[in-house]
Structures are given as structure tokens and as C-alpha cells.
């Protein structure tokens, strides 16, 4: 038992980490974490005025910490709460309207990105998931393949611009994204060191 | 009386590459008293012992039964018989308002929203929380939160209440309030505690040390055994 | 947000949850789709009327509006710069209307009502192997977990500060997420003990 980093949960090892109620509580905790991160603030940047927030950080964290299924569930739940009208999206907005807005492509990409990132961490990185650099590449791959691609497609669709222009609008996010991905990697690796059984299914 | 029986129940955890660690050595106990206290140092295994009683922790070997029902094979039935109260009420209060949290406990037993609301309000009133029914659980004081957590457990009408250090986070006045509430229950009580005054008010006291039951008997002799154990270190 | 529900007996309180959610969805969509500076004040009037009908206390309206205002002002300023005053005013008013409309729903619907409704709507999911009761419970837990999550964030930040580490994100973010996971494990065990997973 690593008494220094692990909170006073001496039952961690006794039960392992997978019980249905723990899964439910973890999914809910991360859906709440993502919602809370939207409150921290949003800064509209780039020519399109798409707000940059901590959402992408917490979305990728859900995938990399919880694995594909619970990560996907947590992010989908977050989007569903926003869709039924709780003000949990960037800019404190809510309602299904945001999915058809200019950043709609990014929002819809979140659950898939958590799924892909979580899959890479759980099944490709496996035991190496306690190393930040490994998680970094898993998260980056999901971000490039899913979030940016779908985000650009969304802007092309809703703002009616060329692929090239949409990609230019996407560019300013890259710097912030690298910073956020580093944080995701560092945090997820430490969480996996504190809870080694988080991704071990019985 | 409900009979809680541990039959050589032991709990071990694997340590990667380093064999196993014993959290609770094979223990045989039968608890039938109205009020049983479990005392012992931090990390002695008393909390694991408490969690065995409703299947939160599964025995690695041996078995645990409540009125003949096995906690592993018949988990759902055992959890209906045995309610569990945790140290930190904030972790078990999951709904936004007091009445809604009690309603969550009633979801399985009472159908219909208005019937559930009525019962939940009655449970709150029985625990002196009626004026806080529509308050946020986060606006309550520590003592009120623990009282609400207990109300959420009692709402399911268990026959046994297991409480794991329910007063550890509370001040002196609230310790007395929660202690009185627990010791006054008509349900059978298994109370894990560091408060020797509370333990002394029980009918039987079990002392756990280094993963083993080292003393078991009337409160005076068990508490005495424990204080001598602490002094000898 | 979780504490926004106001018990009451207005028309909006008595409407079925489904009707309210559908209404909110339609209204939100209309606000977003109708991009016209002339309709924006009309939408704001409608949502203000709804809030009055729901007897949402002025204090909560103000609290909700304050949050939206800051963001709406920033977004509006950018819009003004790029597209001119008309577009800026429209964006500003639309964001305000969306916030008010959502507030009228949350103020008149308790979390349990929402959960009951969601578990009804989630019933068809049973055919793909998802337990609707479980979905509903997870939704309720998420809403319940919000204030707790924010409290944990504040405590971990204070703890990092007390050790003089407030400039180091590592000293703050990782412990925060670790505590969120530990808390979730405890909550999961508590739910299990209450027989809720059975």
C-alpha cells in the first residue's frame, strides 16, 4: 500500500476497482468534473470565436483515467445534461442548440475522443499507463484523429467555409492543446499510480 | 435477534510480486447482542471486519452469514438486512437535498413519487431533520449530515446497522448526539469506534489488533485490555 | 445549479417534465436558429415571462444572469469587432435568453422528477443492454456531485497553497483528481451498502 500518495482508502485493494456501483460513481464523478471545468471560464480565440476551455482537458482525462467505456459514458452524460438544458457547456450555454453551433463538431467529438484515448491507454499502453509520456501520445493521437478532425468538419458544415479555411481556424487551438495534453498525461499517470487497479477488470 | 456469523473468515490482498498481505486473519465470531462495539488502532483491520458484514469486502477464505444468508452468494438479501453508515457522510450523501437523498434509499421499496416523498419526510421527522427537508445537503453541519446519512440507512428498515467510525469527524457535542442516536436504535448495532466512552456503553466489545481479534467480552474488560495494549507500546 | 430548484405550485411546476424539456429544446433551437437582431429582444421577453411565470426568485435570476453576462459581454465584444454591433447585440441577448430558459426548467423541476423522467425515456435502451434505472441514477449522482467536486477543488488548492506550492499545477491538479476518484470509490461503496446496485 503506497500510504503517501493514496488517500485513506484501505479497502482499495480488498475489493479491486470494478463493482457496478463504483463504475456508476466514477462515471458520475467525471461527468461532474467536466461540467465543473466548464465553469472555470472560456476564452473565445481565433477568427471563429470558438471558446477554448478546460473541457478538452477533462474530457481526455475521463478517457485516459477511466478507460474507453466509462470514459465514453461520462462524456456522453455530460453532453446529455447540457442538451436537456443544464448550463454546463462553455459560455454557460446549454440546450441542444449548441450542437448545431459553430463549435458543435468539437462537442460531438468529445465522447469519441474519450473512447479512443481510453482504448489506447487501457489496451495499448496497458502496464505502461503509469508513465506520463506514454499517456501523452495516447491522448494526443485521440485529440488529433478525433477532436480536431471533427471540429474542422463542424466548422466547414455550419460556417459554410472551405476545408482549408476551417483548418486555419482550428490552428490556434494546437498550442493550448499541447499544454492540455501534457497536463492530462501527467495527471492520468499519477492517478494510475495511486489506483493501480482502476483499469483492471475482473 | 439477527445472528451474524463469521466462520474462519479471512481477508488477504495480493501485493504485486511480493506475495500477500493479511488484512484480517481467519476469524470466527457470532454476534447476536443488541449493541456490539469493535475497537482497535488505525489499520488494525476493524474496518475490514465491519465491511465483511454486508459484503462490501468479500472474504478471501471462510464465510460470513447473516441469518444464514451468505454475504457473497446472497449479497442483495444481506444488504437489505444490514445497513451501513460510513465515517464521512459527505461520501454517502449523493443527492442535492435532504429529502431527495432519503428518497433514493426508498427507490427500491416504495413505488410512486408521492408515496416516496411522504415516507421520506416521515423518516426525516423521526430523526429530527424535518425543518431541513428541502435544504441542500451541503448546507448542513457535520453532525446533521451524519444524522441524515443515518436516516438514509434507517429508511431501508434494516435489522442490523453497521457503523464504521461514525463520530470520528465530529466534535464532542455531535459525537454525543450521534452516539445517543445509534445506541438508542431498536435495530441491532455493530459500532466500529475510537471513542471508548461509546464502546463502554455497548453490550459487548471486540478488540482487533494487527489483523486479529485479541479480546472479546464485556465492555469493561475489553476496554481495559485495549488501553493496556496501547500503553505497552 | 443543483440548489436552484424552488418548490412551488405554478403552471410550470405542474407541467410534465417531458413537456418542459421538449419546450426548452424547441425554444433553445429557435433562439439559435433564428439569427436576427430584431427577434433577439422578443426571445428575451419570452424567457423573462417564463421565469416570472415560474416565480423564479429575482436573486437566482441575477445569480444566473451574472455568470452569463460576463461571458456574453466578452463574446459580444469579439462579435462587435468582427461583425458589427447588430450581431454582437444579438449574440449577447441570445446567450441571456438561453440561460434564462434553462433556469426556468431547473427552478421548477426537482432532480428526482428529472431522474424519473429520464428513466422512463431510457427504457428503450434496455434492448441494447443498458439498464435505464442505472442511467437515471448516474444522472442524479452527477448533479449531486457538482457542489462536492467544486469543494474538493477548493480544498486541494488551499492545501497546495498551505505548502507554498500554488504555482505548481502538479501539486494541485493530480491530488484533486486523485481525491475525486477516491471520493467516487467511497460513494460507490455507500451506494452498494444501501443496496442500490442490486
Amino acid at each position: 500500500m503506497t500510504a503517501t500518495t493514496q488517500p485513506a482508502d484501505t479497502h482499495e485493494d480488498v475489493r479491486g476497482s470494478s463493482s457496478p456501483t463504483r463504475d456508476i460513481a466514477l462515471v458520475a464523478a467525471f461527468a461532474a468534473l467536466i461540467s465543473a471545468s466548464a465553469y472555470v471560464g472560456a476564452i473565445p480565440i481565433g477568427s471563429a470565436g470558438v471558446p477554448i476551455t478546460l473541457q478538452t482537458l477533462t474530457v481526455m482525462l475521463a478517457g485516459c483515467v477511466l478507460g474507453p467505456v466509462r470514459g465514453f459514458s461520462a462524456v456522453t452524460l455530460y453532453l446529455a445534461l447540457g442538451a436537456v438544458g443544464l448550463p454546463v457547456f462553455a459560455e454557460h450555454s446549454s440546450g441542444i442548440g449548441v450542437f448545431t453551433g459553430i463549435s458543435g463538431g468539437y462537442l460531438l467529438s468529445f465522447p469519441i475522443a474519450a473512447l479512443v484515448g481510453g482504448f489506447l491507454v487501457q489496451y495499448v499502453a496497458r502496464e505502461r499507463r503509469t508513465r506520463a509520456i506514454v499517456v501523452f501520445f495516447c491522448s494526443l493521437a485521440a485529440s488529433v484523429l478525433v477532436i480536431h478532425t471533427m471540429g474542422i468538419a463542424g466548422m466547414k458544415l455550419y460556417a459554410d467555409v472551405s476545408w482549408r479555411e476551417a483548418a486555419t481556424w482550428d490552428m490556434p487551438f494546437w498550442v493550448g492543446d499541447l499544454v492540455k495534453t501534457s497536463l492530462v498525461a501527467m495527471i492520468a499517470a499519477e492517478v494510475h499510480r495511486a489506483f493501480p487497479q482502476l483499469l483492471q477488470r475482473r | 435477534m439477527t445472528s451474524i456469523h463469521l466462520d474462519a473468515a479471512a481477508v488477504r490482498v495480493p501485493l504485486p510480486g511480493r506475495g500477500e498481505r493479511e488484512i484480517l486473519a481467519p476469524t470466527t465470531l457470532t454476534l447476536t447482542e443488541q449493541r456490539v462495539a469493535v475497537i482497535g488502532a488505525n489499520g488494525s483491520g476493524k474496518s475490514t471486519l465491519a465491511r465483511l458484514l454486508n459484503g462490501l469486502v468479500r472474504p478471501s477464505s471462510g464465510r460470513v452469514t447473516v441469518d444464514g444468508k451468505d454475504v457473497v452468494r446472497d449479497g442483495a438479501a444481506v444488504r437489505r438486512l444490514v445497513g451501513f453508515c460510513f465515517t464521512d457522510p459527505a461520501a454517502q450523501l449523493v443527492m442535492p437535498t435532504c429529502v431527495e437523498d432519503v428518497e433514493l434509499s426508498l427507490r427500491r421499496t416504495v413505488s410512486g413519487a408521492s408515496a416516496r416523498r411522504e415516507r421520506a419526510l416521515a423518516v426525516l421527522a423521526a430523526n429530527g431533520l424535518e425543518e431541513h427537508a428541502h435544504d441542500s445537503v451541503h448546507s448542513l453541519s457535520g453532525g446533521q449530515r451524519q444524522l441524515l446519512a443515518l436516516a438514509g440507512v434507517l429508511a431501508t428498515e434494516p435489522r442490523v446497522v453497521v457503523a464504521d467510525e461514525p463520530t470520528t469527524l465530529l466534535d464532542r457535542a455531535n459525537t454525543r448526539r450521534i452516539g445517543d442516536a445509534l445506541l438508542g436504535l431498536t435495530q441491532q448495532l455493530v459500532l466500529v469506534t475510537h471513542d471508548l466512552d461509546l464502546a463502554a456503553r455497548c453490550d459487548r466489545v471486540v478488540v482487533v489488533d494487527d489483523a486479529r481479534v485479541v479480546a472479546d467480552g464485556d465492555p469493561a474488560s475489553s476496554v481495559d485490555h485495549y488501553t493496556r495494549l496501547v500503553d505497552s507500546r | 445549479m443543483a440548489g436552484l430548484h424552488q418548490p412551488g405550485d405554478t403552471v410550470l411546476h405542474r407541467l410534465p417534465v417531458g413537456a418542459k424539456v421538449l419546450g426548452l429544446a424547441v425554444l433553445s433551437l429557435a433562439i439559435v436558429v433564428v439569427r436576427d437582431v430584431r427577434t433577439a429582444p422578443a426571445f428575451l421577453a419570452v424567457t423573462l415571462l417564463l421565469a416570472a411565470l415560474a416565480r423564479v426568485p429575482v436573486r437566482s435570476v441575477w445569480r444566473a444572469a451574472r455568470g452569463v453576462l460576463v461571458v456574453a459581454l466578452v463574446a459580444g465584444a469579439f462579435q462587435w469587432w468582427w461583425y458589427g454591433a447588430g450581431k454582437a447585440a444579438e449574440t449577447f441577448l441570445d446567450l441571456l435568453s438561453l440561460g434564462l430558459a434553462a433556469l426556468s426548467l431547473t427552478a421548477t423541476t426537482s432532480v428526482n422528477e428529472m431522474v424519473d423522467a429520464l428513466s422512463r425515456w431510457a427504457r428503450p435502451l434496455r434492448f441494447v443492454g443498458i439498464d435505464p434505472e442505472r442511467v437515471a441514477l448516474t444522472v442524479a449522482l452527477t448533479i449531486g456531485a457538482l457542489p462536492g467536486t467544486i469543494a474538493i477543488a477548493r480544498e486541494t488548492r488551499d492545501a497546495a497553497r498551505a505548502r507554498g506550492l500554488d504555482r505548481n499545477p502538479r501539486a494541485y491538479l493530480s491530488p484533486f483528481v486523485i481525491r475525486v476518484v477516491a471520493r467516487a470509490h467511497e460513494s460507490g461503496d455507500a451506494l452498494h451498502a444501501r443496496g442500490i446496485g442490486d
Side-chain angles (χ1 to χ4, degrees), chain A residues 83-85 94-97, chain C residues 12 15-32 43 46-47 50 97-98 100-106 108-109 114 121:
Chain A
V84 298
S94 67
I96 55 168
Chain C
L12 281 179
L15 265 182
V17 185
K20 284 191 274 192
V21 169
L22 192 69
L24 177 65
V26 170
L27 185 59
S28 301
L29 195 66
I31 293 172
V32 175
F43 280 128
V46 169
T47 51
L50 278 176
S97 307
L98 286 168
L100 270 175
L103 183 66
S104 302
L105 175 76
T106 37
T108 57
T109 316
M114 198 66 136
W121 304 334

Side-chain angles (χ1 to χ4, degrees), chain A residues 1-3 6 13 193 196, chain B residues 12-22:
Chain A
M1 194 137 298
T2 49
Q6 191 164 317
D13 293 323
R193 282 204 289 277
Chain B
R12 291 176 294 271
V13 294
L15 298 174
R18 283 172 289 159
E20 285 186 325
R21 194 163 77 96
E22 198 164 59

Side-chain angles (χ1 to χ4, degrees), chain B residues 118-138:
Chain B
E118 206 172 298
R119 272 288 297 285
L121 289 172
V123 170
L124 286 173
N127 288 279
L129 289 166
E130 65 269 45
E131 71 212 65
H132 299 290
H134 298 286
D135 291 354
S136 159
V137 296
H138 297 274

Side-chain angles (χ1 to χ4, degrees), chain A residues 3 7 25 43 52 68-69 92-93 103 126 141 151 160 162 165 167 179 191-192:
Chain A
I43 324 141
I52 176 170
V69 177
H92 298 231
S93 57
S103 51
R126 286 191 292 205
D160 198 23
S162 69
E165 198 166 347
V179 176
V191 173
H192 286 305

